[in-house]
Amino acid sequence: MRGRMRQHHAIRLRRARASPAESAALWDDGPSSQERNSSSVRSRLRRRCGIVELNRQAGHFHRWTPLPVRPFFFIARPHTGHLFALLDGVLTPSSPPPGAHHFPRDKNDRPTRLLPQGRATVISTTKVPIGRTTHRVRNALLVVLLLLVVCAAAAGFSGFKLYKSAMSAKAHLNNVVNAAKVIKDGSTDDMVKALSDVSYIQKEAAAAKQDVSGGLWTLAEKMPVVGGDVKTARTAIGTIDDFAQTTLPQLGKVVTTLTGASLSSGDGQLNMEPIIAAAQQLATVDQSVQSQARTIQDLPDAKLGVVNNALQNGKTQMAALAQVTENLSGMLNMLPNFLGANGARNYVLLAQTNSEIRGTGGLIGSAGSFSADNGKIAVGEFHADAEFPSNAALDDVNQDGDGTLYSGLYFGQVIHNLSSTPDFPRVASMAQKFWQAAPFGGSSDGVMSLDPVALQAMIGATGDVTLSDGRVLNGSNTAEFLLNGAYKELTPSAQDQYFSETAAQAVAHLFSDMNTQKLMTVAKTMLRMAEQRHLYFWSFHEEDQAVLRSA
């Protein structure tokens, strides 16, 4: 092998130095393995033998495909020519002509074939790019991979930041809800104290809104699937913050108006001016609360369970708060007319007993009256049902319907069974006619009905009642005595007397020595009793009816 390599090398040198005729004969032997040496070997030969010519053909192209270059591991030192050949890239033509050799050296070199002097063979000048396409694909893949890594890192960081801010907003909202519960469900003193300083609720609500603000949350709204939930949560939090920043201070102003004024003149008369001012302010507050509650109620249900649970809780709390403000606004706006601020009012007061159940509570055992003139309340005498005339409201009875429905109850004929119908405005209308027909009665502007449970709640809110025999009724024993003890201990006539005394004192205590705490306590007590159907009131003035229905 070593000798052959020398021979080949010698032949190559002789051919390079030969004359044109001799060179042609030598070249006709066919290509040898040394003719496939690298471009570096050919360059050295040209420098040593300056008689070599290169003829190039213009415009003839072949496609060439680069083969992978594998490293060569030397066991012994090979021939110099083979060393350079093995270390160079090897090109394999797709359709190579016999004897064609290509030796690309740099970006400006073109593959050629080494010719002896005077040889007129046509040579291919195809320029073959080595590895350029492969490098472009690899670089593109690297860029894409890098972008994916960056996007994944950004998404992870953004998700963590969103989660952290969401948990912070949830904590602030819990503080808002807990503080607002005192206003809705707490005692009168706690409610007044909470509304006197709403800065804590405002701070927590503002912090929750800040947690879900910014471009990251705006971008999250546009995400598929969860984008709608994000928008819903942000809207709900923004509404709660609006309630805290604008509506709560107005509600606190109502309390300040009432607490800063004297509501009682000391002679049993109420000071109507601060009540009227507070009623107007509360009406404005109620409009804001109702609007904010509707905004939250109209939000669509969230897809994510944790978000939807929080949303439903927020809807429930806001609806309950809106109901409270609506009731208080109705009650407070009803008080001026109810208490005779625009003219004296006279009312019929029905005392029902639940021991004999009826449609609106119980049998009407007695009836009395009370009057109100510019805040001053006067309670009249009560009269047993036997003192009223019969058939006073017979004209209001529909014989075809009522005669069948209330058969045997003497509906419209006696006062004690007027409560058989659950339609209290109808009961009030018929009771008014019985009161007018009685010798002790007269005209009336409305009708109020109480049962022992309502009396007990009112006594508990306004103070104990002492009866003529020294018996003391309070907020825990009144209903038991009137519904049970009176039947066992007293005659029927005495039962009516005890109930009349209890009702008269309870109503008289309602508005005596009035202050803000007592006014709010009485209002909440009456609303609760009305909700539980123990207290009814109806006015025959149309301007009062809309307010009553909202209350």
Side-chain angles (χ1 to χ4, degrees):
M1 184 69 178
R2 187 180 183 93
R4 183 182 177 184
M5 291 173 65
R6 289 198 188 98
Q7 181 182 5
H8 289 175
H9 188 59
I11 292 174
R12 179 175 51 76
L13 291 177
R14 190 177 63 175
R15 286 173 177 172
R17 294 188 178 97
S19 64
E22 295 173 340
S23 178
L26 292 173
W27 276 94
D28 289 339
D29 293 340
S32 66
S33 63
Q34 296 304 321
E35 292 174 7
R36 293 182 175 86
N37 286 337
S38 66
S39 60
S40 58
V41 174
R42 187 187 63 204
S43 300
R44 290 166 52 201
L45 291 177
R46 280 204 297 258
R47 288 195 300 268
R48 292 167 57 184
C49 309
I51 61 175
V52 179
E53 259 182 41
L54 293 178
N55 294 332
R56 301 180 182 271
Q57 174 187 2
H60 185 69
F61 298 95
H62 289 281
R63 178 181 292 249
W64 301 89
T65 305
L67 290 178
V69 179
R70 302 181 182 274
F72 183 82
F73 300 93
F74 300 104
I75 299 176
R77 181 177 179 183
H79 188 272
T80 304
H82 278 197
L83 172 63
F84 284 97
L86 290 171
L87 292 180
D88 285 342
V90 179
L91 299 177
T92 302
S94 58
S95 57
H101 300 276
H102 296 267
F103 304 94
R105 298 192 306 274
D106 53 49
K107 65 180 181 178
N108 295 320
D109 189 22
R110 292 184 177 274
T112 60
R113 176 179 172 183
L114 186 64
L115 296 177
Q117 292 181 355
R119 182 90 171 173
T121 304
V122 178
I123 305 301
S124 172
T125 59
T126 304
K127 180 178 180 180
V128 182
I130 300 177
R132 182 173 300 176
T133 303
T134 303
H135 292 168
R136 288 177 180 174
V137 173
R138 181 194 62 191
N139 293 339
L141 290 175
L142 288 176
V143 171
V144 171
L145 180 60
L146 181 61
L147 288 176
L148 290 176
V149 172
V150 172
C151 290
F157 176 77
S158 300
F160 174 75
K161 190 173 181 181
L162 284 173
Y163 174 80
K164 185 177 179 181
S165 59
M167 291 299 100
S168 176
K170 180 182 178 181
H172 291 303
L173 285 178
N174 286 336
N175 294 335
V176 172
V177 171
N178 292 333
K181 282 183 179 178
V182 176
I183 299 174
K184 182 174 68 72
D185 302 325
S187 66
T188 301
D189 290 340
D190 292 338
M191 181 182 68
V192 171
K193 182 179 179 180
L195 289 175
S196 299
D197 184 10
V198 296
S199 58
Y200 174 75
I201 297 179
Q202 289 179 317
K203 182 184 70 174
E204 292 297 314
K209 183 179 180 180
Q210 181 63 34
D211 285 334
V212 297
S213 299
L216 191 59
W217 281 91
T218 302
L219 182 63
E221 286 187 0
K222 305 181 184 304
M223 295 175 60
V225 181
V226 299
D229 289 1
V230 173
K231 185 176 182 180
T232 296
R234 295 184 74 190
T235 302
I237 293 175
T239 303
I240 292 174
D241 180 65
D242 180 51
F243 167 78
Q245 306 302 329
T246 60
T247 306
L248 266 185
Q250 296 175 4
L251 191 58
K253 188 177 180 181
V254 175
V255 174
T256 302
T257 300
L258 293 173
T259 55
S262 176
L263 300 181
S264 178
S265 60
D267 58 354
Q269 185 173 4
L270 290 177
N271 183 8
M272 300 303 298
E273 291 184 3
I275 294 177
I276 294 173
Q280 294 173 348
Q281 295 171 358
L282 189 56
T284 302
V285 171
D286 181 57
Q287 291 178 358
S288 299
V289 174
Q290 300 305 321
S291 175
Q292 291 157 350
R294 282 193 300 271
T295 299
I296 292 183
Q297 290 296 329
D298 291 342
L299 291 174
D301 292 343
K303 296 181 180 65
L304 298 178
V306 63
V307 178
N308 193 57
N309 291 339
L311 177 62
Q312 298 306 322
N313 182 48
K315 287 183 177 182
T316 301
Q317 296 294 334
M318 199 66 186
L321 184 60
Q323 187 65 49
V324 169
T325 59
E326 183 180 22
N327 292 343
L328 287 176
S329 177
M331 177 71 72
L332 207 58
N333 279 276
M334 181 196 73
L335 278 180
N337 287 338
F338 176 78
L339 296 175
N342 298 314
R345 293 285 184 94
N346 295 303
Y347 302 101
V348 176
L349 184 58
L350 305 178
Q352 299 190 44
T353 172
N354 296 340
S355 297
E356 300 181 49
I357 198 70
R358 295 294 187 273
T360 52
L363 178 143
I364 299 174
S366 61
S369 66
F370 68 96
S371 62
D373 186 6
N374 198 27
K376 188 173 180 64
I377 303 295
V379 180
E381 293 184 359
F382 274 73
H383 302 271
D385 61 319
E387 300 180 38
F388 286 86
S390 301
N391 301 323
L394 196 58
D395 294 341
D396 293 346
V397 176
N398 181 346
Q399 295 298 332
D400 293 336
D402 295 333
T404 301
L405 185 61
Y406 305 115
S407 176
L409 294 176
Y410 305 100
F411 187 65
Q413 300 178 38
V414 293
I415 191 172
H416 63 264
N417 278 340
L418 294 181
S419 54
S420 298
T421 175
D423 183 1
F424 188 76
R426 189 181 184 191
V427 173
S429 177
M430 298 173 74
Q432 179 193 35
K433 292 183 178 181
F434 272 93
W435 185 257
Q436 288 176 333
F440 46 78
S443 62
S444 62
D445 297 283
V447 177
M448 178 180 287
S449 174
L450 298 169
D451 67 10
V453 177
L455 281 174
Q456 176 172 289
M458 293 169 62
I459 291 172
T462 60
D464 297 347
V465 169
T466 303
L467 302 179
S468 57
D469 64 353
R471 187 187 300 271
V472 177
L473 300 181
N474 53 41
S476 59
N477 66 357
T478 301
E480 181 182 1
F481 172 74
L482 294 177
L483 291 175
N484 183 270
Y487 285 88
K488 294 189 297 184
E489 301 175 18
L490 305 173
T491 63
S493 59
Q495 295 171 15
D496 294 336
Q497 179 184 352
Y498 270 69
F499 194 96
S500 299
E501 287 186 34
T502 304
Q505 290 191 48
V507 173
H509 289 172
L510 276 178
F511 302 105
S512 63
D513 300 324
M514 184 62 70
N515 55 39
T516 302
Q517 283 79 4
K518 184 177 180 179
L519 178 63
M520 299 302 294
T521 300
V522 168
K524 293 177 67 175
T525 301
M526 295 181 70
L527 288 172
R528 187 176 74 254
M529 290 297 100
E531 182 180 359
Q532 297 175 7
R533 301 297 187 264
H534 296 295
L535 169 67
Y536 293 89
F537 177 74
W538 185 249
S539 173
F540 300 128
H541 295 269
E542 291 185 0
E543 64 270 20
D544 296 341
Q545 292 175 7
V547 179
L548 281 172
R549 292 189 184 280
S550 66

